[in-house]
Amino acid sequence: MMISLCTLISAGISLTSASLSSPNACPSWQSQDLNLRSLAQKRRFIVGSAMPASNLKNDVDGGKYAATAAEHFNLLELENDLKPPAIWTGPHDYHFADVDYIAGEPGKKGWAQQHGLKLRGHVLVYARDEGYTLPQWLRTKGPAMSKEEASGLLHDYIKAVAGRYRGKVAMWDVANEAIDDRPNKNPFNLRDSFWFRKLGPEFLVLAFRWAHEADPRAELYYNEYGIEGGGTKAQHMLDLAKWLKEQGAPITGLGLQYHIDCKTSIAPGDGHYQLIDAIRKLRLGYMITELDVAVRMKRLPAGDPNRGLIPEDPADLDLQAKTYASVFQMARSSRNCHGINIWGLTDKYSWIPGFSRGRDGAATLFDKDYKPKPAYQAIVDVLKR
Ligand code: G3I
C-alpha cells in the first residue's frame, strides 16, 4: 500500500515552505507523478536509501521513517543488517530474523517487496579486519584455520545468505573495501585482511563465483571508497576489476561509494567522468552506492541533541543541492549506471555526525524532521530533464 505524501502532510509532516504553494495544497512537485520515486520509475532509474531494518520494523518516529522510505525510493539497502557481523554468529550459524523482515523468509514477501522497493545486498565479504566487518568468533578462531577450512566456511556462508534471498536481492556488494589506502606490496594494493591472508587475492574470485552460483540473477559488484574522481586507488580498483574479469569472475560492475562533501566539484571531462568512462571501457556497469554529501555543522557540545544536525552556514545546503545534482547528472549522462543509493534516509540517523564527532552532518535528502532539503528538489529537477 503506497502512502501518499499528501497523507504524510496531513499526518503533520511539515515540508519546506519553498515547496508548499499553500499550506493546504499538495504542491505540484509532490504530486504522484513528480516525486523522486515516481520520476525514477518513469526514467527506469533506481534511487535507493540505506536504512536499518529496525527503523522500518519498529515504526520509528510514528511511522514517518517507513512512510518516507516507501514514498520516495524504489531501492532499499540495509545499512548494517546484511554485514557478516550481523548475520554470521558461528561457523554454520546464521541470524536471519532482521533481514527476513525486509526480504521475507524463503517463499514469503518482506517489507521491501510489499512496498515495491528492490533490495540491494550489502555485503557478503567486508574485506578488511577493522571495524564492523568480521564476526568476533571468526577473529578469534580464524587465525588457526587452514586455507581449506576458511575457504569452506566462506563458501558455506555465501551460499547460505545469497541462497536464502535468491531472487529477492537485485544486486549484491560481493566484496567491499578490499583495497588499502596506504601503499603496500600486495597485488592491486589489497589490504592485509583475514581473507587475503588465508586465500590470497583469489578470495575475491571465489566470492563472486559462489555468489553467482547462489543467485544467478543478482547483479554482482565490487564496492569501494576513496576512488571518486580517479587517482591511485581508483587505478588499483580498475586493475582489480580487469583481473577479476580475466579470472572469469561474474562481476557486473563497480560500486562507487561517493561519501563526499558539499565542496566536491563534479563536471564533464573531470576525473569523475574519466573514471566512469574507464569503467565503461572495461565493459562493466557501476552504481553510486553510498552517496551522501556532508555539510560543516555548527560546533555543539557532545550530548547536545542537535550536535551534527545544524549547518554552520545554511547556504551550504544550496551547495549540497548542486553537488547532489552533479552526481545525478553524471549518472544520467552514462549508459552503464545501474542506479544511485543514498547512504541514509534522514540526517537524524546518518552515520556522519558520529564519525566526524559532530563536525559534519546533514548529508542526506531529508532533514531531522523529514523535511525534503534543497538537494531533493535538485535531483528531482535532474530526473525531470
Ligand atoms: O550492532 C552492534 C551492537 O550489538 C553493539 O552493541 C554496538 C556497540 O558498538 O555496535 C553495534 O554495531 C554497530 C553497527 O554500525 C550497527 O549499528 C557498530 O558498532 C558500528 O561501527 C557500525 O557502524 C556502521 C559502519 O559502517 C561500520 O560498519 C555504520 O552504521 C554504517 O553507516 C557504516 O557504513 C559503511 C558501509 O558499510 C561501507 N562503506 C562506508 C560506510 C560508512 O562507514
Side-chain angles (χ1 to χ4, degrees):
M1 180 266 286
M2 281 277 283
I3 300 159
S4 137
L5 201 58
C6 294
T7 310
L8 292 175
I9 298 170
S10 59
I13 293 182
S14 60
L15 298 164
T16 50
S17 52
S19 64
L20 289 171
S21 49
S22 83
N24 306 319
C26 191
S28 62
W29 69 266
Q30 290 178 359
S31 61
Q32 194 54 37
D33 64 350
L34 280 181
N35 86 346
L36 182 57
R37 172 172 170 151
S38 48
L39 265 170
Q41 301 287 94
K42 190 175 284 185
R43 296 286 181 266
R44 298 183 188 284
F45 194 66
I46 287 176
V47 182
S49 175
M51 312 178 217
S54 56
N55 280 9
L56 295 166
K57 188 173 183 179
N58 302 332
D59 245 5
V60 154
D61 295 335
K64 283 183 193 175
Y65 192 95
T68 305
E71 182 73 18
H72 294 279
F73 299 97
N74 59 13
L75 177 80
L76 186 170
E77 179 165 329
L78 290 171
E79 186 171 8
N80 296 296
D81 301 285
L82 256 172
K83 289 177 180 172
I87 291 187
W88 206 357
T89 50
H92 287 94
D93 299 314
Y94 314 112
H95 165 79
F96 288 125
D98 298 331
V99 182
D100 280 356
Y101 178 79
I102 299 296
E105 54 188 282
K108 292 189 179 164
K109 288 187 176 185
W111 190 94
Q113 280 180 304
Q114 289 159 7
H115 292 81
L117 284 85
K118 287 182 184 291
L119 194 52
R120 188 170 198 282
H122 175 75
V123 53
L124 294 171
V125 183
Y126 205 144
R128 62 191 294 181
D129 293 357
E130 65 273 14
Y132 193 67
T133 61
L134 274 180
Q136 191 50 53
W137 66 267
L138 188 51
R139 291 171 192 273
T140 310
K141 294 183 174 177
M145 285 180 191
S146 67
K147 174 178 179 175
E148 292 67 28
E149 195 180 356
S151 174
L153 282 178
L154 182 59
H155 169 270
D156 296 349
Y157 176 73
I158 291 176
K159 186 177 173 198
V161 177
R164 182 180 184 86
Y165 301 117
R166 181 187 181 114
K168 293 181 170 175
V169 173
M171 60 282 283
W172 275 104
D173 280 337
V174 172
N176 184 52
E177 302 178 10
I179 299 170
D180 207 337
D181 297 307
R182 297 172 305 277
N184 64 38
K185 301 227 180 313
N186 298 331
F188 314 109
N189 209 57
L190 290 177
R191 292 179 192 274
D192 177 28
S193 70
F194 170 74
W195 298 113
F196 175 75
R197 289 193 298 276
K198 284 293 174 188
L199 306 175
E202 288 72 21
F203 81 93
L204 291 162
V205 180
L206 293 169
F208 274 91
R209 192 176 300 151
W210 293 335
H212 183 67
E213 285 168 5
D215 190 348
R217 286 184 300 166
E219 293 187 357
L220 303 178
Y221 290 81
Y222 172 77
N223 193 48
E224 195 54 86
Y225 73 91
I227 44 56
E228 302 82 359
T232 304
K233 190 172 182 181
Q235 190 55 56
H236 287 311
M237 178 184 70
L238 293 169
D239 295 343
L240 174 62
K242 183 169 180 290
W243 176 74
L244 286 170
K245 286 193 72 172
E246 289 164 353
Q247 300 304 308
I251 178 172
T252 308
L254 294 172
L256 313 178
Q257 292 187 13
Y258 268 82
H259 293 294
I260 56 180
D261 66 44
C262 64
K263 314 285 192 219
T264 304
S265 163
I266 298 168
D270 70 0
H272 296 270
Y273 277 73
Q274 288 167 27
L275 176 59
I276 301 303
D277 198 44
I279 294 170
R280 180 188 56 79
K281 286 174 180 163
L282 285 175
R283 304 174 66 79
L284 286 171
Y286 75 95
M287 287 188 81
I288 305 287
T289 52
E290 304 184 11
L291 178 60
D292 44 32
V293 181
V295 166
R296 273 280 126 127
M297 292 288 106
K298 217 165 133 179
R299 284 185 187 280
L300 294 171
D304 184 308
N306 282 321
R307 193 181 196 216
L309 291 172
I310 312 292
E312 195 169 67
D313 177 358
D316 280 350
L317 292 179
D318 292 325
L319 274 182
Q320 178 185 63
K322 289 188 175 70
T323 303
Y324 261 105
S326 68
V327 175
F328 274 73
Q329 191 55 52
M330 177 177 74
R332 299 289 294 156
S333 73
S334 54
R335 299 174 63 84
N336 61 332
C337 180
H338 292 217
I340 295 180
N341 186 60
I342 292 165
W343 205 253
L345 181 76
T346 153
D347 297 344
K348 184 173 180 180
Y349 301 108
S350 167
W351 70 289
I352 290 179
F355 181 76
S356 66
R357 295 190 177 84
R359 195 68 189 96
D360 297 320
T364 73
L365 297 181
F366 292 87
D367 72 14
K368 64 184 176 61
D369 302 316
Y370 294 83
K371 280 189 286 186
K373 291 151 68 181
Y376 183 99
Q377 187 59 46
I379 62 179
V380 161
D381 291 344
V382 171
L383 289 177
K384 276 195 290 192
R385 284 178 208 146

